[in-house]
Amino acid sequence: MNPYIHQKPANHFKRYDGNPILSPDRWPYACNSTFNPGVIEHNGETLMLVRVEDMRGFSHLTRARSKDGKTNWVVDDEPALVPDPGLDEEQFGVEDPRIVWLEERQEYAVTYVSFSQDGPVVSLAMTKDFQNFRRCGPLLPPEDKDASLFPRLINGHYVLIHRPIIRGEAHIWISFSPDLTFWGKHKILIPARQGWWDCHRVGLGPPPVETPEGWLIIYHGVRYTASGSLYRVGIAMLDLEEPWKILRRCDEWVFGPHRPYERVGDVPGVTFPTGVTVDKQTNELRVYYGAADTTTCLATADLDDIVELAMNCPDSGYV
Ligand code: BMA
């Protein structure tokens, strides 16, 4: 097979016609940007914790809710989680949450990036209602970002995917904990691929999605160019019970910044997924992403199509 001659791929992901679904001009209070949301189904609604950047350049998280996950978003008049000035790790804002429901604890876990003077760290907060949060502090040393727990225990352990920067290298790592406090068995999970579209940085997008074939991973890959970075979106599959094993990693990105709202904004050329839901009735996979570090957008696909796409990807040699 000639690797340069491809069938034109099916458009697996479709952008929602009403994009951007949330933007600063529709916010109930003054802000610069509303992007990179954590997303979950809660009380029969789609609930987002949206990263809101204020005009000092610090971010906090505010709730937005919608009955159908697409339209009529109701944004709270006040933030849900603001940086605590008494905490060393929250000096310069809280950002980019990922949310999972932990059945055995009967509460939601929110992993988010908090900014200390020593750089970004991954912090954890627990909540039942998205109004009251119990902070559990930073999980691992800086510099670390793009973290989510798996939505269930695996062999009795909490499992975290995150993205430390070590020796200037930005690969996706996996770590394990018996109690959400002590972390170990750290391992590179998905490395940046030299020369490829995801050569300079990779980072987890939304929390892993459990499917019969494995954990579906949606991640961002970065290439630096003469006019800035391009943040595109790739997929991979992990083994269900041994999630440190990559079953598949697709060669090609599944979407990237093409539309004006993805190319024009505070950081042009960024599609940055952070939230996902699956509509149980229609099997629709909904991927919520920040566009150009300015607005929140939605892309949808059939979950089975995406799993099939992923499972048909070659073992790229990085498995
Ligand atoms: C990453 C994070 C994201 C941001 C992205 C693109 O490093 O800081 O919050 O959306 O860069 O600027």
Side-chain angles (χ1 to χ4, degrees), residues 35-36 51 95-96 98 113 115 145-146 163 201 220 222 229 231 266-267 270-272 274 290 292-293:
F35 61 119
N36 297 2
R51 170 179 172 190
E95 307 182 352
D96 300 359
R98 275 73 164 185
V113 176
F115 262 88
K145 277 186 175 184
D146 300 321
R163 207 286 310 280
R201 288 175 173 215
H220 65 260
V222 183
S229 299
Y231 278 72
D266 275 4
V267 186
V270 175
T271 49
F272 196 87
T274 42
D293 278 14

Side-chain angles (χ1 to χ4, degrees), residues 170-171 192-202 221-224:
H171 310 300
R193 290 182 285 202
Q194 192 184 7
W196 294 59
W197 62 272
D198 49 4
C199 55
H200 288 119
R201 288 175 173 215
V202 287
V222 183
R223 165 173 264 170
Y224 304 149

